[in-house]
Amino acid sequence: AKAPAAAAREMLQLVAAAACSASPYELLPLSTPSGALRANIYLPPADASDAAALARTFYRSSRFDWGSMVGDFTLGGHALCEADSWRAPHDPAWTEAAIGLAGEFGCGDDGATCPAGWRGAGSESARISNGVLGYEEAAPGGAFLKVGVGALRKGSCAACNSAAPDDLYRFNEPYAFAAPPSWRVNASAGGSVVALEHDASLPGGRWGYSLRRTLELVDLPPSARAGLVGGLVLESWELRNRGRDEWQIPFYSHNFWHADGAPTDERWSATLDGLDTAYYTDGAASWAEPLATYARAGGGDGSLAWARVVEGGTKIKANFAQPLHAQG
């Protein structure tokens, strides 16, 4: 007889293989108990040294957390955050080829540490890592860690100057891997909860981390429905330091929003729970349109309502302030 753990792994593999029959990538379908909300999570590899498993991995680049590829939502007849709605045709090795709730550990800027304005817990002057560990100590060609991504080679990106020991870390450039990440995946029998775990470290014991991410789809409680059809997507993270040196790292979900294959327009609005809707552009005007051109925000009630259609190719960026957390 098979051990329970081995049987569970085999069941997960069979479910994933059946689910991805229409996709070249390994995925796991999730659903609320009622089926009102459904989603796919594109699975990272259990063994990144297996070339065949790596080839079936939806995202295998060096920016986003490999365990955060959640999308293909279906809700009330709507299709949201679909896999083919961003950066088509899909290239798994490109840094931006993500989906839906894809998230990054870091501040979305160049440099091994976050720029001035990001602040650490308990100190206005604490250095905040841009998602990387051991970068500044690594020699050209040496390994450093990117949380959720694994071990990368310093100076290996096309825009890098590999001859410079202090070469700037470029968050949106593809780096070569010293060791791509392997993950442990555990899914509930009901198909509504999945947990993903990954850890990485560098020789010498100074730098290391372990990461656990849990995703659950739940039905709206009766008190919150009020005629609404839908559910909640609950994500939680546990990031632990497995090295000697202390560090602090921010995280953000990119939210690759797309609905029904159509441009975002005045039919859509959002509530930013717990956030003050005061915002600032953070110098993005050189490449982004002002949010106020397309949406109404800043009323203090957490609402963001689109006022007009967002044309194809339009780029908008706004940072929403939350004083209790690190911000930039």
Side-chain angles (χ1 to χ4, degrees), residues 22-292:
S23 170
Y25 305 110
E26 204 83 18
L27 60 83
L28 184 69
L30 298 172
S31 171
T32 59
S34 71
L37 175 63
R38 298 178 183 274
N40 288 327
I41 178 166
Y42 287 81
L43 296 174
D47 180 3
S49 66
D50 182 341
L54 200 59
R56 295 193 301 271
T57 302
F58 178 83
Y59 184 84
R60 48 181 186 266
S61 194
S62 56
R63 177 178 174 183
F64 292 108
D65 173 0
W66 284 29
S68 67
M69 300 296 139
V70 185
D72 295 336
F73 295 98
T74 58
L75 171 66
H78 295 286
L80 312 173
C81 305
E82 296 173 283
D84 60 356
S85 64
W86 173 254
R87 291 290 189 260
H90 181 69
D91 177 2
W94 179 240
T95 53
E96 294 184 340
I99 183 175
L101 303 184
E104 179 180 13
F105 285 92
C107 47
D109 209 339
D110 287 342
T113 57
C114 295
W118 289 84
R119 56 178 194 261
S123 172
E124 290 293 323
S125 60
R127 281 161 50 94
I128 308 299
S129 168
N130 193 10
V132 294
L133 303 174
Y135 184 87
E136 292 163 315
E137 294 79 10
F144 67 95
L145 300 179
K146 169 79 174 188
V147 176
V149 172
L152 304 172
R153 293 288 182 195
K154 186 174 183 178
S156 60
C157 71
C160 294
N161 177 10
S162 59
D166 58 348
D167 181 49
L168 183 71
Y169 168 67
R170 291 165 170 80
F171 81 105
N172 202 34
E173 291 287 334
Y175 282 81
F177 281 86
S182 297
W183 292 72
R184 300 175 295 279
V185 180
N186 296 287
S188 68
S192 61
V193 183
V194 63
L196 304 97
E197 297 178 85
H198 156 65
D199 49 68
S201 61
L202 295 178
R206 284 189 66 185
W207 306 107
Y209 69 87
S210 63
L211 173 62
R212 177 182 173 87
R213 175 189 302 278
T214 303
L215 181 78
E216 182 177 8
L217 270 60
V218 300
D219 287 308
L220 286 173
S223 59
R225 288 175 187 169
L228 298 176
V229 176
L232 301 174
V233 181
L234 305 179
E235 277 195 292
S236 62
W237 304 263
E238 183 180 274
L239 178 61
R240 291 181 176 270
N241 187 352
R242 297 302 186 190
R244 294 192 306 272
D245 286 28
E246 295 183 358
W247 41 263
Q248 297 182 56
I249 297 176
F251 172 84
Y252 69 95
S253 177
H254 203 292
N255 292 313
F256 289 93
W257 169 259
H258 200 261
D260 297 332
T264 299
D265 58 23
E266 59 274 13
R267 295 174 300 169
W268 297 97
S269 62
T271 298
L272 307 177
D273 188 23
L275 294 179
D276 180 356
T277 47
Y279 64 92
Y280 51 98
T281 60
D282 192 25
S286 62
W287 58 267
E289 296 290 335
L291 177 64

